[in-house]
Amino acid sequence: MKTFCGRANPTTGAMEWLEEDENYDYHQEIARSRYADMLHDKDRNMKYYQGIRAAVSRVKERGEKAIVLDIGTGTGLLSMMAASAGADFCYAIEVFKPMANAAVKIVEKNGFRDKIKVINKHSTEVTVGPDGDMQCRANILVTELFDTELIGEGALPTYEHAHKYLVKEGCEAVPHRATVYVQLVESKRMWSWNKLFPIRVEAEDGEKIIVSPSEMENCPGVPSVCDIQLNQMPSSDFAILSDVVTMFSVDFSKPVRSASTYYRVQLEPVKSGKAQIVLSWWDIDMDPSGTINCTMAPYWVKSTSAFQWRDHWMQCVYFLPNEEPVLQGEKVYLTASRDEYSVWYKLQKASGEEENKADFRVESPVCRCQAHLLWNRPRFGELNDQNRTHQYIKSLMNVLKTDSVCLCISDGSLLPMLAHYLGAKQVQYFLLLFFLLLLSSSIHFFKANHLEDKIKVVEARPELLTSSHLEDKKISILVGEPFFTTSLLPWHNLYFWYARTAVTKHLASNVTVLPQSASLHMMIVEFQDLWRIRSPCGICEGFDVRTMDDMIKNSLDFRESKEAEPHPLWEYPCKSLSDPREVLIFDFRKTVPQQCLSTEGSVNLLRKGRSHGAVLWMEYHLTADISVSTGLMQISNEKGNCEWNPHCKQAVYFFSSVIESETLADLPSAVTYAINFDTKTGEIAMDFKL
Ligand code: SAH
């Protein structure tokens, strides 16, 4: 059987449906899954084990048999913990077939075949009774169905169903309860991921300001959670406006209601400021007394030094629908509304009068300006990056003339407006027609800045551009950031080069292309933590989970050539072990060549450390002496700590084996590489040898 997978073609910018082997989906699922990260989460595993032991003891003390229901068993880990703790029988439910198969093997290998029954079903399909999947209802309910937002993976409806049909009243639950915490902050950095700030342009005829449309100013944005490694956010990047407060908690040992509801807390700001952001995280108590606690609290809240890195549970950034000034000591109400799967927030001033019994439920935010649908959070951040904008302004000023005919190729870009203000007589803005969203939001933008007559939006694919679109003029300046919404890996923005090639016949003979070229850069790194997500686990809390390791490895090797994967490295500290190396150059002044671009070479390892992989990124050379980097910004000290562009994802290629050098003397001298850019597919294949 074949399945179809959606993927953007970097040579056409278009979404294509590729026929893939039926196993492709599940290999992707496993290879890119968080199972390895969970198995490496020592803190989580230990606390689950303690909580499970305590729950089994409590049931045994009551003189009952301990019958466990483990919903979402994955590798079977929590069921094996329960069986080891003395549970009489475990029903291990897993909906994802490849995982259920793995669980059967792992359970058997660890000698629990008689104690654990793996059931490959969604928990809501499980039957109870003499002929059912379960002989009887369970009296211990064990689950790990949480995501960073706690409820995003459907924990609430699953619990609701389990209490109705699968467990006894008064059952023990591990975890026993979850609590969601919030803290109100002001942060220009995080707010810049949600709103477009005015952009100042020093033009020859005075300062111009690009403003966002009013629809956007007042837009509540999208409800999708923004989850990040908040521990990488320096405290200088936000101002705390309130104490940490409990927003709501869920007791998993009692019937759970998943229906939409809201929670309201009163906050007394500890500082005056602009309330923009709600930071949120949760903790789980594994036992009723709360002595076994596993918390996602960020560094400024947690006092314990024992810090556990994890990627499967992070922290949430919620954007308030609009910025609210708050005064120190002047009470405000924060409302969290939720449906079955997500949470959103609203801040209201206290009225001072007796609370009326109004319904405080707030409708889920719906983006009205379309920009939040078009631009993701990092893209907002990138457009708000004044340094970056300044580089574009400087280089445009270098090349623009009053009679320039300018064609712009980039998605949802502000470049056409910059080009106009900086003097281009005629600006054509290319839009790829399959993004209607782009069209309407760009038009909103041009209107808000009274430029709708000045910038002509061409609704055609580059290869279909005609002279009449251009009013029979030749293009003297072709510009791009370049940025395309469908790009996943850094080099996918090379679509600009393909588009440039497609419009060649419309370019003046002395055309200026900006950026004039791009380069691919590569560096060998040691990750502080990210390596865990691709590293085998072996033995987890005494249980042999190598079957899972093999399965992940098999899925990673499913494609002959391993692929690089995108990661926002500002969230994942690493140090450089080699110097950065420019490996390929793409000359936008020329068309895309027929033959592939390849390179081979070796980089010296300069520092001791573990070579986990290579990081790759693009740099764009706007003019001969102005460049912007989408990757490395700088190596900050002699230890090799790296600073990355915070608005872009970099490509990470994990080495299949890690080389470790304790001393400089035993350093392998170099890592050899072979990198090939296939001009037909727009993809880059690579191979490294240690
Ligand atoms: N319990 C394991 C794995 C947790 S990951 C551990 O702690 O290491 C959660 C797993 O639950 C995933 O494998 C997912 O496929 C499964 N899952 C989620 N909801 C489910 C449901 N309602 N019924 C059955 N499986 C579910």
Side-chain angles (χ1 to χ4, degrees):
M1 212 182 88
K2 298 280 179 188
T3 67
F4 285 89
C5 298
R7 205 188 67 136
N9 179 335
T11 69
T12 62
M15 284 303 280
E16 282 177 358
W17 294 95
L18 299 180
E19 222 182 294
E20 291 278 8
D21 187 293
E22 68 168 322
N23 292 326
Y24 177 81
D25 246 5
Y26 108 72
H27 281 301
Q28 278 298 312
E29 179 83 6
I30 291 180
R32 306 285 174 239
S33 74
R34 298 179 167 185
Y35 291 108
D37 180 37
M38 290 188 294
L39 294 174
H40 282 292
D41 187 343
K42 178 85 190 148
D43 179 63
R44 174 198 90 117
N45 300 340
M46 237 171 52
K47 284 167 178 166
Y48 261 98
Y49 210 168
Q50 287 171 16
I52 288 168
R53 283 201 194 99
V56 171
S57 308
R58 289 196 300 276
V59 167
K60 294 266 171 181
E61 274 163 25
R62 296 202 291 259
E64 295 169 23
K65 276 190 157 186
I67 307 296
V68 176
L69 171 64
D70 169 12
I71 302 181
T73 200
T75 52
L77 180 69
L78 305 182
S79 286
M80 294 193 291
M81 288 178 176
S84 297
D88 295 278
F89 201 78
C90 303
Y91 295 101
I93 320 295
E94 176 54 56
V95 64
F96 184 36
K97 186 149 204 310
M99 276 315 302
N101 293 344
V104 169
K105 284 190 204 145
I106 295 171
V107 161
E108 184 147 341
K109 199 164 174 187
N110 286 276
F112 293 108
R113 201 201 332 199
D114 302 338
K115 291 272 179 199
I116 299 173
K117 178 179 177 188
V118 177
I119 300 166
N120 176 208
K121 280 189 175 180
H122 192 270
S123 60
T124 52
E125 305 293 318
V126 169
T127 55
V128 182
D131 302 320
D133 298 312
M134 298 169 66
Q135 289 288 300
C136 60
R137 286 182 176 230
N139 54 4
I140 299 180
L141 174 57
V142 178
T143 76
E144 203 275 60
L145 301 168
F146 313 116
D147 67 347
T148 294
E149 204 179 16
L150 188 71
I151 63 172
E153 279 173 16
L156 294 177
T158 294
Y159 271 109
E160 181 168 35
H161 173 271
H163 276 286
K164 278 189 189 146
Y165 303 106
L166 306 178
V167 297
K168 289 187 177 145
E169 205 184 313
C171 77
E172 299 286 344
V174 184
H176 179 82
R177 90 174 66 74
T179 307
V180 173
Y181 302 90
V182 293
Q183 188 165 33
L184 200 59
V185 303
E186 168 175 347
S187 166
K188 187 167 180 211
R189 174 166 178 198
M190 288 184 261
W191 198 237
S192 82
W193 301 342
N194 183 53
K195 294 276 170 195
L196 192 78
F197 301 154
I199 294 170
R200 286 168 201 286
V201 188
E202 292 294 340
E204 257 165 23
D205 51 343
E207 188 189 67
K208 301 281 164 43
I209 300 179
I210 298 178
V211 294
S212 44
S214 58
E215 291 93 333
M216 192 171 163
E217 289 287 303
N218 306 319
C219 180
V222 279
S224 62
V225 67
C226 172
D227 47 352
I228 61 164
Q229 292 282 1
L230 207 47
N231 289 313
Q232 296 307 320
M233 180 71 61
S235 55
S236 52
D237 279 353
F238 58 97
I240 287 174
L241 300 181
S242 83
D243 291 332
V244 176
V245 297
T246 298
M247 198 69 229
F248 64 94
S249 58
V250 187
D251 181 343
F252 296 123
S253 71
K254 305 250 159 57
V256 168
R257 279 171 49 90
S258 67
S260 298
T261 186
Y262 67 91
Y263 313 89
R264 209 158 181 253
V265 293
Q266 202 178 51
L267 293 178
E268 200 171 298
V270 294
K271 189 172 180 275
S272 300
K274 286 180 276 186
Q276 298 164 327
I277 310 278
V278 175
L279 299 181
S280 171
W281 58 88
W282 49 261
D283 68 9
I284 41 182
D285 286 323
M286 296 298 183
D287 60 334
S289 65
T291 46
I292 312 164
N293 178 273
C294 182
T295 178
M296 305 311 124
Y299 65 89
W300 65 91
V301 177
K302 201 156 39 179
S303 52
T304 54
S305 54
F307 176 75
Q308 173 73 52
W309 183 87
R310 45 172 74 96
D311 205 38
H312 61 119
W313 293 332
M314 296 183 270
Q315 293 80 26
C316 303
V317 176
Y318 294 99
F319 305 96
L320 288 171
N322 35 45
E323 185 176 89
E324 286 281 350
V326 294
L327 289 173
Q328 182 177 349
E330 201 174 279
K331 293 190 178 86
V332 288
Y333 289 102
L334 184 66
T335 307
S337 306
R338 67 151 182 82
D339 56 20
E340 282 181 313
Y341 296 96
S342 64
V343 186
W344 56 94
Y345 286 87
K346 188 173 167 79
L347 193 72
Q348 281 150 329
K349 293 264 155 84
S351 61
E353 288 156 32
E354 188 56 29
E355 284 286 293
N356 54 28
K357 293 275 177 285
D359 188 357
F360 293 107
R361 188 190 318 254
V362 181
E363 288 305 313
S364 169
V366 179
C367 170
R368 290 190 296 258
C369 72
Q370 297 178 331
H372 296 95
L373 305 174
L374 179 64
W375 296 331
N376 60 15
R377 276 79 186 228
R379 176 63 174 160
F380 266 97
E382 184 172 53
L383 292 172
N384 280 318
D385 179 345
Q386 288 184 7
N387 279 334
R388 178 177 182 273
T389 304
H390 190 66
Q391 302 303 316
Y392 284 91
I393 290 178
K394 257 196 332 197
S395 42
L396 279 169
M397 276 165 57
N398 279 346
V399 302
L400 281 173
K401 303 197 186 72
T402 45
D403 59 352
S404 293
V405 176
C406 188
L407 178 69
C408 211
I409 305 182
S410 265
D411 281 352
S413 177
L414 306 178
L415 278 182
M417 287 190 274
L418 292 182
H420 173 76
Y421 284 140
L422 294 168
K425 192 169 78 182
Q426 188 180 348
V427 180
Q428 317 275 341
Y429 179 28
F430 232 134
L431 281 172
L432 305 178
L433 194 56
F434 37 82
F435 283 129
L436 280 177
L437 259 183
L438 269 172
L439 178 66
S440 52
S441 77
S442 303
I443 289 173
H444 281 325
F445 244 98
F446 300 154
K447 279 198 176 139
N449 290 281
H450 312 292
L451 293 177
E452 66 271 33
D453 305 329
K454 307 283 196 276
I455 298 170
K456 182 175 168 202
V457 177
V458 182
E459 295 173 54
R461 299 179 45 82
E463 55 276 23
L464 301 179
L465 186 71
T466 61
S467 314
S468 64
H469 284 124
L470 300 171
E471 291 155 20
D472 293 326
K473 298 201 179 72
K474 290 279 182 200
I475 296 156
S476 55
I477 301 191
L478 178 68
V479 297
E481 299 187 33
F483 172 87
F484 301 98
T485 27
T486 50
S487 299
L488 297 174
L489 288 160
W491 45 86
H492 291 167
N493 285 325
L494 285 176
Y495 171 59
F496 178 72
W497 202 14
Y498 292 88
R500 177 256 176 263
T501 304
V503 301
T504 298
K505 65 172 185 278
H506 302 288
L507 304 180
S509 57
N510 59 348
V511 65
T512 304
V513 184
L514 184 162
Q516 61 177 29
S517 64
S519 47
L520 179 71
H521 298 248
M522 185 272 287
M523 189 169 76
I524 310 297
V525 302
E526 173 183 74
F527 286 109
Q528 191 177 299
D529 298 295
L530 191 65
W531 58 272
R532 291 170 207 274
I533 66 169
R534 299 286 167 264
S535 149
C537 180
I539 305 293
C540 179
E541 295 300 307
F543 304 103
D544 182 344
V545 293
R546 281 176 300 178
T547 305
M548 183 70 214
D549 293 339
D550 295 344
M551 194 164 136
I552 294 175
K553 187 169 182 318
N554 180 34
S555 287
L556 283 170
D557 293 344
F558 175 63
R559 287 294 169 87
E560 291 114 87
S561 62
K562 261 179 52 176
E563 287 170 20
E565 41 187 286
H567 289 283
L569 290 186
W570 74 267
E571 295 182 63
Y572 303 100
C574 63
K575 68 175 191 178
S576 70
L577 298 184
S578 75
D579 279 335
R581 164 77 58 95
E582 180 180 272
V583 284
L584 286 177
I585 295 177
F586 312 94
D587 188 349
F588 297 156
R589 290 165 296 190
K590 304 200 178 103
T591 55
V592 178
Q594 289 294 310
Q595 69 283 12
C596 296
L597 300 180
S598 2
T599 182
E600 283 181 7
S602 67
V603 275
N604 292 334
L605 294 178
L606 306 170
R607 291 187 187 81
K608 59 182 184 186
R610 307 203 299 159
S611 302
H612 290 128
V615 177
L616 298 102
W617 68 93
M618 297 290 287
E619 294 189 4
Y620 296 106
H621 310 292
L622 305 182
T623 57
D625 48 8
I626 303 177
S627 297
V628 291
S629 171
T630 66
L632 191 66
M633 304 309 279
Q634 63 168 346
I635 297 177
S636 63
N637 55 16
E638 62 295 341
K639 286 195 193 123
N641 293 339
C642 304
E643 191 190 313
W644 299 99
N645 182 325
H647 312 303
C648 299
K649 286 186 180 177
Q650 291 74 35
V652 177
Y653 182 95
F654 287 99
F655 297 153
S656 44
S657 61
V658 172
I659 44 164
E660 190 164 356
S661 57
E662 292 298 332
T663 64
L664 267 177
D666 65 35
L667 264 184
S669 53
V671 174
T672 61
Y673 59 83
I675 296 175
N676 180 56
F677 175 65
D678 184 339
T679 51
K680 297 274 176 311
T681 63
E683 292 293 354
I684 289 184
M686 57 197 93
D687 192 26
F688 292 86
K689 289 204 174 56
L690 305 170

